Amino acid sequence: MDTTFLLWVAAIVAVVLGLAGVVLPLLPGTPLLFGGLWLAAWLDGYSRVSLLTVGLLALMALLAWLADYAAAALGVRRAGASGRAMAGAAIGAVVGAFAGLPGLIAGPVLGAMAGEWSVRRHAGQATRAGVAAGLGFIIAIAAKLGLALGMLGVFAFAYFV
């Protein structure tokens, strides 16, 4: 088999896994997506997708990565939650990934609630922390998905137009 063909397959697989990773916390979605798009641009010798466009894709990938952390942290912090609530939300997101889509949503909520409960033992504050973590998680996914689809659009426009 031709090496170039295998590299194109690798680029496509990285893009598909990257899109899945935007929603699934165990896959590094945005870096995989960017890596696949960069590989595709490189394979074409940057003739259709310039280095400037690759730089724009890198900036969009960085923004998506930052959105992932900022939305969750700001949501939980804005609710006045503790550092343990933030850590609980992160742990809950990873553990919840093994339970499918319901676990992806419920994991950060329950993790933040457990973390906050371990610090303050106040049900109202623990509930606020959990709701904030859940909303932060949903906002982060929406932002990452928007940026990921934008990355695909920028790449496709540069490649085909």
Side-chain angles (χ1 to χ4, degrees):
M1 248 190 234
D2 186 19
T3 305
T4 304
F5 174 76
L6 291 175
L7 288 173
W8 273 106
V9 169
I12 292 168
V13 167
V15 168
V16 169
L17 286 176
L19 287 173
V22 167
V23 179
L24 301 173
L26 295 179
L27 289 173
T30 311
L32 275 174
L33 177 62
F34 173 71
L37 295 176
W38 190 358
L39 179 58
W42 177 78
L43 286 169
D44 194 41
Y46 301 106
S47 63
R48 295 181 192 161
V49 179
S50 70
L51 283 172
L52 183 63
T53 304
V54 171
L56 176 61
L57 294 172
L59 179 63
M60 293 172 77
L62 178 65
L63 288 173
W65 180 74
L66 289 174
D68 197 17
Y69 292 101
L74 291 175
V76 173
R77 273 289 177 216
R78 191 144 170 95
S82 65
R84 277 197 205 170
M86 290 179 17
I91 293 167
V94 172
V95 172
F98 295 106
L101 185 59
L104 286 173
I105 295 168
V109 172
L110 296 175
M113 289 176 72
E116 190 64 19
W117 182 260
S118 74
V119 172
R120 296 195 179 127
R121 302 223 182 262
H122 185 266
Q125 181 60 26
T127 302
R128 278 192 295 280
V131 169
L135 289 174
F137 181 73
I138 291 169
I139 290 168
I141 286 179
K144 287 190 310 183
L145 190 57
L147 284 163
L149 294 176
M151 289 171 68
L152 287 176
V154 166
F155 183 88
F157 183 80
Y159 195 87
F160 294 111
V161 174

